Amino acid sequence: MRVGVLTGGGDCPGLNAVIRAIVRKGVPEYGYSFLGFRDGWRGPLEALTRPLDIPAVRGLLPRGGTILGSSRTNPFAVEGGVEKIRRNLQNLGVDALIAIGGEDTLGVATKLHETGVNVVGVPKTIDNDLNGTDYTFGFDTAVNIATEAIDRLHTTAESHHRALIVEVMGRHAGWIALHSGMAGGANAILIPEVRFDLDQVCQWVEARFQLDYAPIIVVAEGAMPKEGEEVLQSGEKDAFGHVRLGGIGDWLAHRIEERTGKEARTTVLGHVQRGGTPTARDRWLATRFGLHAIDAVHAGKWGQMTALRGTDVVTVPLSEATKELKVVDPGLYAEAEVFFG
């Protein structure tokens, strides 16, 4: 059997570890050959490939990013895109695909499976917002990077008596903000799932200054005030209909200065959260996902996705994973509010 492998969407620490595990088990144990598709769904759409064998995956475990490249290509937005993919897979002798990605990449995989393509999915996103799995790899690395940044900002905030806002990724789900904010001792955490009250945020800021401490506020890029909408970098949409978010941190800093008279500054972590070497936990999870993905291919579990349930890796239907996003439960967020101010 010849198996194609692709990585789509935003890059993520641990992608290379998945690729490595798939090949390192699939070649010696099952006798499969592998073909890497470059740049996400653009690879099978345009027959852009690179060979994947055991020498090609050596040294990948600690390496961030993806050796296959990525893109936000949506073949269902391309005229005749599905037919091109099916034709290219046949011409290249590819019997099955392993798609590693988030909601958009696996959404395409779900639809392709419904057309008869043999697909197995692996969940990847630093946002941890994919349904059907307790955690996705890449999330732990992003949280650790954000937490370290918050730790460092505490000292400069105290030195200059400023309110510092840390803007992290999280379009629809505030998992990174919640975890890093709690771990870093933030005085307020603002997430997309719960609209925030600007007056309340300013009260938290002033209460912190009254104790002779400088406040740290962690805000997800998709967070919104009770009266207002998302802050956009651009109104342009990508192939999956997403606008580019960003700027809520600066918006908040200006409002805090106006209402409290205290100086406020913003740090936007952006793609720093995606980069660099994956943590030990992400390497462990990505490797297990890769091993179970190639097992799923061998078992013919088409239309399934690897998932972490407790400490077990299982398979769940791709349709379950992509039907809706996994967002922060308001009750979990309420636990964090105890420490605000």
Side-chain angles (χ1 to χ4, degrees):
M1 179 182 285
R2 195 177 205 192
V3 181
V5 182
L6 65 84
T7 56
D11 65 302
C12 177
L15 282 168
N16 287 322
V18 179
I19 298 167
R20 172 182 176 271
I22 290 169
V23 175
R24 287 288 296 268
K25 185 171 187 178
V27 172
E29 185 157 335
Y30 297 129
Y32 294 163
S33 64
F34 293 89
L35 188 67
F37 283 103
R38 295 166 50 199
D39 302 336
W41 287 112
R42 183 166 166 255
L45 189 64
E46 301 179 14
L48 304 174
T49 66
R50 59 165 290 174
L52 280 181
D53 52 20
I54 289 180
V57 299
R58 286 187 180 136
L60 289 188
L61 198 57
R63 184 172 168 181
T66 166
I67 62 168
L68 295 179
S70 189
S71 74
R72 297 194 181 277
T73 302
N74 181 1
F76 286 90
V78 177
E79 185 176 354
V82 174
E83 290 73 21
K84 289 179 182 178
I85 287 179
R86 295 175 66 91
R87 183 168 60 250
N88 286 333
L89 293 179
Q90 183 176 12
N91 292 341
L92 292 167
V94 173
D95 304 294
L97 266 178
I98 297 177
I100 312 167
E103 57 165 324
D104 295 326
T105 300
L106 296 186
V108 170
T110 303
K111 293 179 181 178
L112 283 177
H113 166 65
E114 293 169 355
T115 70
V117 177
N118 296 333
V119 182
V120 168
V122 176
K124 166 245 55 162
T125 168
I126 66 170
D127 294 321
N128 197 42
D129 59 0
L130 264 175
N131 212 358
T133 183
D134 291 349
Y135 287 97
T136 54
F137 68 87
F139 173 66
D140 188 67
T141 303
V143 168
N144 275 273
I145 290 169
T147 301
E148 182 181 355
I150 295 166
D151 288 345
R152 292 176 179 274
L153 289 170
H154 272 292
T155 55
T156 188
E158 303 276 341
S159 298
H160 293 279
H161 311 292
R162 290 172 176 160
L164 289 187
I165 294 98
V166 185
E167 183 180 317
V168 300
M169 287 185 171
R171 174 184 296 274
H172 301 296
W175 293 107
I176 295 176
L178 181 64
H179 282 243
S180 64
M182 290 188 70
N187 306 109
I189 301 169
L190 311 179
I191 62 175
E193 294 87 339
V194 181
R195 284 180 176 261
F196 63 87
D197 185 327
L198 184 58
D199 290 334
Q200 177 65 76
V201 173
C202 291
Q203 288 175 22
W204 285 329
V205 168
E206 290 177 324
R208 184 70 172 173
F209 276 120
Q210 287 170 7
L211 297 173
D212 287 329
Y213 288 102
I216 300 286
I217 300 170
V218 177
V219 56
E221 62 185 346
M224 293 178 284
K226 286 186 175 179
E227 297 181 359
E229 299 299 330
E230 294 172 318
V231 177
L232 308 180
Q233 282 190 21
S234 167
E236 297 180 3
K237 296 182 179 180
D238 65 16
F240 292 94
H242 301 308
V243 293
R244 184 182 297 178
L245 300 182
I248 184 62
D250 280 335
W251 182 92
L252 189 59
H254 290 311
R255 301 309 184 278
I256 288 173
E257 287 189 343
E258 290 172 357
R259 298 194 179 204
T260 69
K262 303 295 184 180
E263 191 175 3
R265 292 287 187 274
T266 302
T267 298
V268 181
L269 297 186
H271 287 79
V272 170
Q273 295 158 92
R274 294 189 182 279
T277 187
T279 61
R281 177 174 174 79
D282 276 341
R283 299 182 202 189
W284 169 85
L285 183 56
T287 297
R288 292 190 70 197
F289 277 168
L291 296 175
H292 282 263
I294 195 60
D295 286 344
V297 168
H298 186 67
K301 293 183 177 180
W302 313 125
Q304 296 282 304
M305 179 192 83
T306 58
L308 184 68
R309 295 286 178 86
T311 58
D312 296 328
V313 176
V314 300
T315 58
V316 299
L318 274 168
S319 56
E320 176 185 337
T322 57
K323 66 180 179 181
E324 61 183 0
L325 291 176
K326 180 181 69 182
V327 296
V328 175
D329 187 303
L332 185 60
Y333 179 71
E335 292 181 9
E337 284 189 303
V338 173
F339 298 100
F340 291 178

